[in-house]
Amino acid sequence: DVKVTQSSRYLVKRTGEKVFLECVQDMDHENMFWYRQDPGLGLRLIYFSYDVKMKEKGDIPEGYSVSREKKERFSLILESASTNQTSMYLCASSSARGQRQPQHFGDGTRLSIL
Amino acid sequence: GDSVTQMEGPVTLSEEAFLTINCTYTATGYPSLFWYVQYPGEGLQLLLKATKADDKGSNKGFEATYRKETTSFHLEKGSVQVSDSAVYFCALSRPGNEKLTFGTGTRLTIIP
């Protein structure tokens, strides 16, 4: 089975801090994604990556950046955390081999910014 | 742009009731359609998918049929169980595009 592991289940940080959320997948997937999940809004794509050192903006990239130095690891960075970034963050990965492969999700990181 | 509209929740049903969660979409071309499920405290899991018109996806007693004429992909189950309590998300992706567009999710609660 595909395993997508997010480094923390719960995280509490302060306004203005630089925050790192880590995600690792063990299936050699090319594609990796970061979403945030908010009540009534569903999942919204922040950034995604098709390959090492490659990144593309999703629908809500403002206030975030990402890093993909190795194929299995995709990091989400909040440059200067703000209270409106309090949310559930979900990482996902998928294979680029064959068409329309499903995304596999981690269990999420619930981030609170105080 | 692409969009997915799901029925508003929450939905509460008794065990063994029939379930329908409506999903309609707007997209150009021929998208693939997915249902994901999120159990409490967990990430999303793929429940079923369909990649072309009239395809029926099925898994764990759930079914959904890709209806291009009505741009719909409604989720159904004939007899729900307490263990089906979760949040259900409808989603689509377009050919050549790995991104998923999600609906807002429908929270389902099954009472014994």
Side-chain angles (χ1 to χ4, degrees), chain A residues 9 31 33 35 37 40-43 45 48 50 57 59 90 94-96 98 100-108, chain B residues 30-32 34 36 38 41-46 49 51-52 87 89 93 95-100 102-105:
Chain A
R9 292 298 301 272
N31 306 317
F33 307 82
Y35 297 89
Q37 180 180 7
L41 297 176
L43 275 74
L45 182 64
F48 60 103
Y50 288 146
K57 294 180 180 179
D59 300 319
L90 291 167
S94 68
S95 172
R100 312 187 188 194
Q101 296 296 315
Q103 292 185 16
H104 300 266
F105 285 80
D107 286 340
Chain B
Y30 297 89
S32 292
F34 305 84
Y36 281 83
Q38 185 178 33
E42 299 183 11
L44 276 69
Q45 303 174 23
L46 178 67
K49 70 175 184 179
T51 59
K52 61 182 188 297
V87 181
F89 291 91
S93 69
N97 188 337
E98 301 293 342
K99 293 191 293 181
L100 283 171
F102 285 90
T104 54

Side-chain angles (χ1 to χ4, degrees), chain B residues 5-64:
Chain B
T5 302
Q6 287 182 236
M7 67 186 288
E8 295 274 334
V11 174
T12 302
L13 294 173
S14 297
E15 206 167 17
E16 300 184 2
F18 184 85
L19 168 70
T20 300
I21 301 177
N22 290 337
C23 171
T24 57
Y25 68 90
T26 301
T28 55
Y30 297 89
S32 292
L33 301 174
F34 305 84
W35 277 101
Y36 281 83
V37 58
Q38 185 178 33
Y39 298 105
E42 299 183 11
L44 276 69
Q45 303 174 23
L46 178 67
L47 181 59
L48 52 84
K49 70 175 184 179
T51 59
K52 61 182 188 297
D54 299 325
D55 266 2
K56 179 186 282 187
S58 61
N59 187 24
K60 299 182 181 180
F62 291 89
E63 294 183 341

